[in-house]
Amino acid sequence: MAQHLLSLADFSGAELAALIDRALVLKRESRDGVRHRDLEGRTVALIFEKPSTRTRVSFEAAMYGLGGQVIYLSSRDTQLARNEPLKDMARVMDRYVDGLVVRTFGQEIVDELARYSGVPVINALTDLHHPCQVLSDLMTVIEHKGPLDKLKVAWVGDGNNMANSWIQAAARLGFALNLACPEGYEPVPGILREARAQADRPINLVHDPLEAVAEADVVNTDVWASMGQEDEQIHRLQVFRPYQINDRLLAAADPNAVVLHCLPAHRDEEISEKVLEGPQSVVWDQSENKMHMHKAVLAAFIGPKA
Ligand code: CP
Ligand code: NVA
């Protein structure tokens, strides 16, 4: 398996499925009171240049839950803000800690840290990908809908970091994926092209949200303006209006479809309050599963001390 978790494309379907299976076991075991200490004596640094509630806390809880420790560094706390080279940061940090969990802007930042770091670098969201989120979302889908290869997933809204990671997951795990994005807000073309070339089932990109959700088993969305796009918020509200997940749109999906949103949600923007709080929404399970998935990821990448 790759040393770092930078994007889902770096892993085989079997490797991704093993991480999801492990997280499902860890969730069951945690309900039964089973405790693991895989990461006793190990420390990770969380280097977060963007805000986070779920990812930060679930990684911290996961690390402590496995007997490890965490050092949290916001962008105010490091010399990166004063332009210390990433390659220097990586080679210093790897003398102190056993792994780096990084939330930042460009994918090239995690790529560069990984190039120079002797310890694993885990992508906790960049502008391009949110791989750990999509792994825990897939876990949630399996819990509620069963094996992925039978399913049709719809992505409605921005062709953003989440969409890119869903596309890579579809190519590896064999579910059908329909994306509906406004013109000009599509996922990265190269990611789509590469995924389609490798996928067993269709990965469709359309502009009509009704077409994308038709008979879908999973209906998935995210904010219309991601972190770093705050200046575009007002314009995006206009462009994305027809892409709201509401009762009307959900009626076109399979009647037993589940609704995902990685959160934070903007109620009555990308998703109606009624759908978010309604019976088809699985967003709270989705949030919980981040912690179980992060335990699986940390144990797999940081591992027990030799
Ligand atoms: N879903 C997610 O990544 O949430 P946070 O931004 O709160 O970490
Ligand atoms: N696309 C969103 C995801 C937030 C978890 C963002 O990047 O802000």
Side-chain angles (χ1 to χ4, degrees):
M1 190 161 74
Q3 187 197 350
H4 307 284
L5 201 176
L6 303 175
S7 90
L8 298 182
D10 299 337
F11 300 90
S12 67
E15 287 170 336
L16 298 180
L19 282 171
I20 297 169
D21 285 348
R22 184 69 192 138
L24 286 162
V25 170
L26 286 167
K27 181 172 184 176
R28 247 193 334 271
E29 288 182 344
S30 90
R31 297 269 151 95
D32 295 342
V34 178
R35 295 285 174 265
H36 293 278
R37 308 300 290 171
D38 302 35
L39 297 179
E40 192 120 55
R42 315 225 94 189
T43 304
V44 296
L46 264 56
I47 303 170
F48 274 41
E49 299 199 279
K50 289 176 176 171
S52 170
T53 299
R54 281 148 287 271
T55 308
R56 174 187 174 176
V57 177
S58 57
F59 262 114
E60 292 203 13
M63 195 64 194
Y64 289 124
L66 292 175
Q69 301 183 72
V70 172
I71 299 169
Y72 177 81
L73 298 162
S74 76
S75 43
R76 277 197 313 275
D77 303 319
T78 72
Q79 297 284 9
L80 285 179
R82 295 177 63 241
N83 293 328
E84 181 169 22
L86 289 163
K87 60 184 179 184
D88 294 4
M89 173 85 169
R91 287 174 295 175
V92 170
M93 294 297 285
D94 74 4
R95 304 286 174 112
Y96 302 146
V97 298
D98 302 293
L100 305 178
V101 177
V102 183
R103 170 169 285 202
T104 187
F105 293 87
Q107 183 74 14
E108 69 282 359
I109 295 173
V110 288
D111 289 346
E112 173 96 349
L113 286 170
R115 198 167 306 125
Y116 287 95
S117 169
V119 299
V121 175
I122 294 167
N123 181 352
L125 181 145
T126 62
D127 293 343
L128 200 64
H129 292 293
H130 199 359
C132 296
Q133 177 72 51
V134 172
L135 283 174
S136 51
D137 295 354
L138 292 164
M139 169 186 176
T140 310
V141 170
I142 292 170
E143 278 182 329
H144 286 272
K145 302 297 301 178
L148 293 170
D149 58 357
K150 306 269 180 297
L151 300 178
K152 190 165 157 189
V153 175
W155 175 268
V156 180
D158 195 15
N160 61 12
N161 43 9
M162 285 290 297
N164 291 330
S165 290
W166 270 98
I167 289 167
Q168 294 187 332
R172 291 287 182 270
L173 293 164
F175 54 88
L177 179 63
N178 281 348
L179 303 113
C181 309
E183 225 168 316
Y185 297 89
E186 294 91 350
V188 173
I191 291 177
L192 195 56
R193 217 176 15 253
E194 193 175 312
R196 278 176 171 158
Q198 298 167 352
D200 294 332
R201 298 198 54 207
I203 303 176
N204 297 314
L205 173 62
V206 297
H207 295 306
D208 178 1
L210 275 169
E211 189 183 338
V213 303
E215 292 164 22
D217 302 292
V218 178
V219 177
N220 197 353
T221 193
D222 184 16
V223 292
W224 289 339
S226 286
M227 290 180 275
Q229 297 172 331
E230 288 77 9
D231 292 355
E232 299 173 35
Q233 176 103 27
I234 293 178
H235 178 62
R236 282 172 173 259
L237 274 179
Q238 306 306 317
V239 174
F240 282 83
R241 186 69 67 201
Y243 292 80
Q244 184 185 79
I245 308 288
N246 51 32
D247 283 340
R248 193 180 74 85
L249 195 64
L250 200 52
D254 182 90
N256 296 314
V258 293
V259 175
L260 299 185
H261 189 314
C262 66
L263 306 180
H266 294 86
R267 287 167 161 80
D268 297 325
E269 290 183 20
E270 73 275 3
I271 188 163
S272 69
E273 164 90 12
K274 197 159 163 242
V275 170
L276 186 74
E277 299 288 358
Q280 288 172 269
S281 164
V282 295
V283 300
W284 313 118
D285 289 345
Q286 204 185 336
S287 279
E288 177 187 337
N289 287 342
K290 285 172 71 76
M291 185 183 66
H292 304 295
M293 177 52 70
H294 293 163
K295 279 187 180 169
V297 164
L298 289 166
F301 285 83
I302 313 295
K305 229 181 175 82

